[in-house]
Amino acid sequence: VNVPGIAISASRVRPKAQRMAIQCRNCNEVRYLISPNGYGNAQVPRYCTGASNTDARAGGAPGCPIDPYIVVPELSTFVDYQSLKLQERPEMVPTV
């Protein structure tokens, strides 16, 4: 990307998960979440959706607890990102 101007500040380079693998602590079901572009984050579900899980709220046997997922970094894909603050060049500013 070529942008005319001056970079006046830069944040630290940070990792962001593009494809995040989450695993249920109770039934070991693995799901993959795709994180949106930009500054958005992937939304981790509150309830397990495993095939062996029965819904306790529907009157079945108790299944996986609430918030059962943990992130598995070995199966996830990460990308580095950084924020830059830009200032336009003084020659580009129109005079009044």
Side-chain angles (χ1 to χ4, degrees):
V1 176
N2 185 6
V3 179
I6 302 168
I8 59 173
S9 72
S11 69
R12 293 181 143 192
V13 176
R14 291 177 275 184
K16 179 182 178 189
Q18 279 187 323
R19 182 174 178 239
M20 183 169 54
I22 58 175
Q23 182 178 16
C24 179
R25 285 180 267 182
N26 193 32
C27 67
N28 294 327
E29 179 216 9
V30 176
R31 293 182 63 191
Y32 292 95
L33 302 176
I34 304 298
S35 140
N37 293 333
Y39 291 107
N41 294 327
Q43 297 295 320
V44 178
R46 305 256 352 229
Y47 299 99
C48 180
T49 58
S52 64
N53 188 21
T54 57
D55 193 3
R57 292 171 285 146
C64 299
I66 191 168
D67 295 331
Y69 288 110
I70 57 173
V71 177
V72 183
E74 293 83 20
L75 301 176
S76 301
T77 304
F78 296 92
V79 65
D80 292 335
Y81 79 98
Q82 183 178 28
S83 298
L84 301 173
K85 273 190 182 178
L86 299 176
Q87 178 179 340
E88 57 190 354
R89 291 189 287 172
E91 304 90 44
M92 301 292 288
V93 177
T95 58
V96 181

